[in-house]
Amino acid sequence: MKWDRENTIAQFLRDRRKKAYLTQVELSDLTGVGLRFVRELEQGKPNLMTDKVNQVLLFFGHTLTPTPISDETRRNLGK
Amino acid sequence: MKWDRENTIAQFLRDRRKKAYLTQVELSDLTGVGLRFVRELEQGKPNLMTDKVNQVLLFFGHTLTPTPISDETRRNLGK
DNA sequence: TGTAATTATACCTTAAAGGGTGTAAATTGT
DNA sequence: ACAATTTACACCCTTTAAGGTATAATTACA
């Protein structure tokens, strides 16, 4: 599967980390996930484990939940 | 890690499947994920792969996205 | 109440996610 | 322009998610 830096989670986390003036290393330390994982997250690796993602999201007060797909997303379904 | 049938994703999917009058087997077929996975999903297995979850959520027009944690969630942080 | 359908557990195998580390590339600041 | 910091990529290793299948428990209903 192809990586997609523009996917919702990747974008969200790159943005939040920047705004918090944190490096990937710092975020890795603060959240307890591996540095490698932080990088894969931000580069849009497609297949991630939910609890690892949540471990990072939680640091920013967020969590993964099912939300209705946007028209935008629906349009891109056929990739 | 402990399983939690009441977690957001598990609850959401049990509810949606019921409302669609589908069995786990049917949902498994329709979404292309394994039957075992549907069951683990609905029973709140903690560690899931995001693309598998999305594969099922998409069937119900949803997808995993980072959302602010609720007060409820925040209260339960210390488990 | 008995029986078929649905759901829950258990066991085993396989593919791949996550982690550590080392190195190269890119970014930043002076 | 250069040095230091930060980010990206490659390698190998360990762990485990997901799938298939078989069996037990539960639920639905005739």
Side-chain angles (χ1 to χ4, degrees):
Chain A
M1 201 188 245
K2 224 183 62 66
W3 290 38
D4 172 23
R5 269 178 57 90
E6 308 313 316
N7 85 59
T8 312
I9 299 173
Q11 265 184 321
F12 177 86
L13 285 174
R14 283 202 311 276
D15 182 60
R16 285 303 186 110
R17 180 174 63 78
K18 283 298 177 189
K19 283 181 176 158
Y21 297 100
L22 294 171
T23 67
Q24 292 177 339
V25 175
E26 289 167 329
L27 186 58
S28 161
D29 286 345
L30 287 166
T31 58
V33 305
L35 173 55
R36 269 263 316 274
F37 183 76
V38 171
R39 289 171 179 165
E40 292 174 339
L41 252 185
E42 296 197 354
Q43 269 145 79
K45 179 175 178 177
N47 229 7
L48 305 163
M49 317 239 352
T50 53
D51 74 338
K52 288 287 158 194
V53 179
N54 281 325
Q55 206 172 325
V56 179
L57 284 180
L58 201 55
F59 180 81
F60 295 112
H62 285 61
T63 191
L64 285 181
T65 58
T67 59
I69 61 179
S70 63
D71 292 347
E72 171 65 6
T73 303
R74 198 172 296 112
R75 249 176 258 118
N76 297 340
L77 274 190
K79 202 169 287 79
Chain B
M1 201 188 240
K2 223 182 62 64
W3 290 39
D4 172 22
R5 270 178 57 90
E6 308 312 316
N7 86 58
T8 312
I9 299 173
Q11 264 183 322
F12 176 86
L13 284 174
R14 282 203 311 276
D15 182 58
R16 284 303 184 110
R17 181 174 63 78
K18 284 299 178 188
K19 283 181 177 158
Y21 297 100
L22 294 170
T23 66
Q24 293 177 338
V25 175
E26 288 167 330
L27 186 58
S28 162
D29 286 345
L30 287 166
T31 58
V33 305
L35 174 55
R36 270 265 314 274
F37 183 76
V38 171
R39 288 168 181 167
E40 291 172 340
L41 255 184
E42 296 196 353
Q43 266 143 81
K45 179 175 176 175
N47 230 7
L48 304 163
M49 316 269 325
T50 52
D51 73 339
K52 286 289 157 192
V53 179
N54 281 326
Q55 205 171 325
V56 179
L57 283 179
L58 201 56
F59 181 81
F60 295 112
H62 285 62
T63 191
L64 285 180
T65 58
T67 59
I69 62 179
S70 64
D71 293 349
E72 170 65 7
T73 303
R74 196 172 296 113
R75 249 177 257 119
N76 296 339
L77 274 189
K79 201 171 288 84

